[in-house]
Amino acid sequence: MSTALSPLLAPMLSSAAMRAVCDDEAYLQHMLDFEAALARAEAATGVIPANAAGPITKACKASSFDLADLADADAARYVHWGATSQDVIDTAGMLTLRAAIDALLPDLDRAIAGFAKLAHQHRNTAVVARTWLQHALPMPFGLKLAEYAAALHRSRTRLQRLRSEGLALQFGGAAGTLAALGDKGLLVAEKLAQELKLPLPDAPWHTHRDRIAEAASVFAVLTGTCGKIARDVSLMMQTDVAEAFEPSGEGRGGSSTMPHKRNPVAAATALAAATMAPNLAATIFAAQVQDHERSAGPWQAEWPTLPNLLLVTSGALAAIVDIAEGLQVDVARMRANLEATGGLIMAEAVAMALAEKIGKNEAHHLVEAASKKAVTEKKGLRDVLTKDPKVTAHLSADKLAKLFEPMAYQGASQALIDRLLASLEKK
């Protein structure tokens, strides 16, 4: 279960909490938890002697692992009774996934709260909405921030659903029939599930890996959302845009040779993780194709892949927490960028107002021609329109002036912000 990330890179690409979850000793402890719980369940159902459970449970502590304790002459015969190695490894994987979700949820809460707070603060801050990386329309910056919070909240919901519904005990013995336990197989399975606080599936799932694949998809989606936010922030931090910045400090974001640089280092971490996660998830998806009742190869491919997916997901989210709680917004620069095209960003607003008077097609052609003239003659669009009698016949100078106020053309944006923020309260 150990990460393939080097000790040098692991702190950059993962959180300390997730590294603890994916640590070899932690995984060993999950395997030992299975063995101890199995012994207690089988003792309780009369499969093994009652006095065997205590020594086995005592020996199942990874931090003080002692072969002498484990090799208790009377109890050792009953360790792993009726189980197979895949039962231990898969159930340990389920316990690891549960711990991983618990490690991610606090960071998710912080990121969601951070962006929600920023959305409230900037719901009336106008910014350029960009499509195909070009200026499109004005929008409230708060809407963009509320969308970040809501997308992260959807991942939170997925994680919670995965924790409550997607995890399951693995216990089937050599071929998934529990034959070694005779008529007590299901009774032991029920007690084992209770001991580990894992749902008991209808049957063992040794070569049906849809649960693992679903988990991988949930983590990959979260990492992708983090990557989307990071992409936006890195673009907003460009020198030519300079609208918003991730937090900076001594020794952070600078260049080794260029003293003036302020690099998007948190965004880079999230983007690196978002680049890795889809391929890790793809390996898990490919590993679903397994043969008969126990498979050789695809199952083993999950072992290094899943913990690395957990690690990079945690790194992406930790970076986004950093951004959500420390984003610095330059409102004046946002306004300047809105005006950078000489009013062209308000062309749709004018065209729609004209359309009410002369129809959509004619209005579109009029404003399109005026826009081209403004670009060619290096004039403001409003100046060109106020001198066009075909326009002023329907729109007064005062009406045109109002049409060039960015926050006057935001449609349902404020209602959308409210709806997005309200969605954060849904459990």
Side-chain angles (χ1 to χ4, degrees):
M1 201 66 177
S2 179
T3 170
L5 299 176
S6 73
L8 183 64
L9 295 178
M12 185 186 82
L13 293 171
S14 60
S15 71
M18 193 62 76
R19 291 195 297 277
V21 168
C22 295
D23 181 75
D24 279 344
E25 185 171 320
Y27 194 71
L28 173 60
Q29 185 59 60
H30 288 319
M31 296 173 72
L32 293 169
D33 289 343
F34 174 92
E35 298 289 9
L38 176 62
R40 293 193 296 270
E42 291 181 336
T45 54
V47 174
I48 67 173
N51 61 5
I56 293 173
T57 298
K58 181 182 177 183
C60 289
K61 297 289 185 292
S63 59
S64 56
F65 201 80
D66 189 324
L67 289 178
D69 285 342
L70 187 60
D72 180 284
D74 294 321
R77 295 178 291 164
Y78 303 106
V79 174
H80 204 65
W81 190 274
T84 187
S85 58
Q86 187 163 355
D87 293 336
V88 183
I89 292 171
D90 280 351
T91 299
M94 290 285 120
L95 295 173
T96 297
L97 282 173
R98 185 168 68 188
I101 293 169
D102 290 345
L104 289 174
L105 288 175
D107 276 353
L108 261 174
D109 288 340
R110 290 175 59 190
I112 293 166
F115 284 125
K117 180 180 179 180
L118 287 167
H120 281 293
Q121 292 173 352
H122 292 286
R123 66 181 305 151
N124 293 311
T125 299
V127 70
V128 174
R130 295 174 172 90
T131 60
W132 290 45
L133 294 176
Q134 307 294 310
H135 285 210
L137 296 173
M139 69 178 290
F141 189 48
L143 178 57
K144 198 179 193 80
L145 296 162
E147 288 170 346
Y148 296 162
L152 290 168
H153 185 267
R154 291 193 294 274
S155 272
R156 190 187 196 285
T157 300
R158 293 185 192 100
L159 283 171
Q160 289 177 311
R161 185 166 57 243
L162 176 65
R163 194 188 191 285
S164 62
E165 301 174 11
L167 308 183
L169 174 73
Q170 176 73 288
F171 183 56
T177 63
L178 291 170
L181 297 176
D183 61 358
K184 293 188 176 180
L186 281 177
L187 185 59
V188 172
E190 290 171 1
K191 295 292 290 183
L192 179 57
Q194 292 170 10
E195 286 279 350
L196 295 172
K197 297 181 173 59
L198 281 173
L200 177 66
D202 294 327
W205 44 275
H206 290 138
T207 51
H208 292 278
R209 313 304 288 178
D210 51 290
R211 289 180 176 87
I212 305 295
E214 181 184 14
S217 71
V218 171
F219 288 108
V221 167
L222 170 56
T223 308
T225 294
C226 292
K228 184 276 184 288
I229 296 170
R231 178 72 73 197
D232 283 358
V233 171
S234 65
L235 291 171
M236 286 188 287
M237 284 184 66
Q238 290 183 110
T239 305
D240 307 287
V241 179
E243 292 175 344
F245 303 85
E246 62 179 53
S248 63
E250 187 67 29
R252 169 184 169 146
S255 165
S256 59
T257 59
M258 294 173 283
H260 67 285
K261 292 292 293 295
R262 183 174 179 179
N263 293 320
V265 291
T269 294
L271 287 166
T275 302
M276 297 168 68
N279 296 302
L280 293 167
T283 298
I284 300 296
F285 296 155
Q288 289 183 92
V289 184
Q290 301 198 6
D291 43 285
H292 298 304
E293 281 62 56
R294 296 279 300 285
S295 184
W299 176 52
Q300 287 83 355
E302 294 174 355
W303 299 354
T305 305
L306 189 59
N308 275 328
L309 178 55
L310 302 182
L311 287 163
V312 299
T313 300
S314 73
L317 182 56
I320 294 305
V321 170
D322 194 28
I323 292 171
E325 295 183 339
L327 189 70
Q328 298 170 8
V329 180
D330 190 333
V331 176
R333 183 57 180 254
M334 288 180 172
R335 183 70 191 204
N337 286 342
L338 281 163
E339 297 171 357
T341 58
L344 291 178
I345 198 168
M346 304 308 300
E348 184 188 86
V350 177
M352 295 307 296
L354 265 179
E356 295 177 4
K357 309 290 185 179
I358 61 176
K360 186 175 185 298
N361 287 340
E362 186 177 352
H364 182 88
H365 290 313
L366 270 176
V367 177
E368 183 180 37
S371 298
K372 290 179 179 178
K373 183 176 181 180
V375 172
T376 301
E377 299 181 1
K378 293 183 171 52
K379 294 181 178 179
L381 178 59
R382 180 179 166 191
D383 292 337
V384 173
L385 291 170
T386 55
K387 294 175 182 176
D388 186 338
K390 293 180 182 179
V391 174
T392 55
H394 304 287
L395 299 176
S396 67
D398 286 344
K399 177 63 174 176
L400 278 171
K402 291 177 182 177
L403 289 171
F404 278 86
E405 174 48 52
M407 288 301 285
Y409 192 69
Q410 57 176 313
S413 293
Q414 295 300 318
L416 295 175
I417 292 171
D418 288 337
R419 288 165 62 89
L420 289 166
L421 294 178
S423 75
L424 307 182
E425 305 302 321
K426 296 175 182 176
K427 302 299 182 183

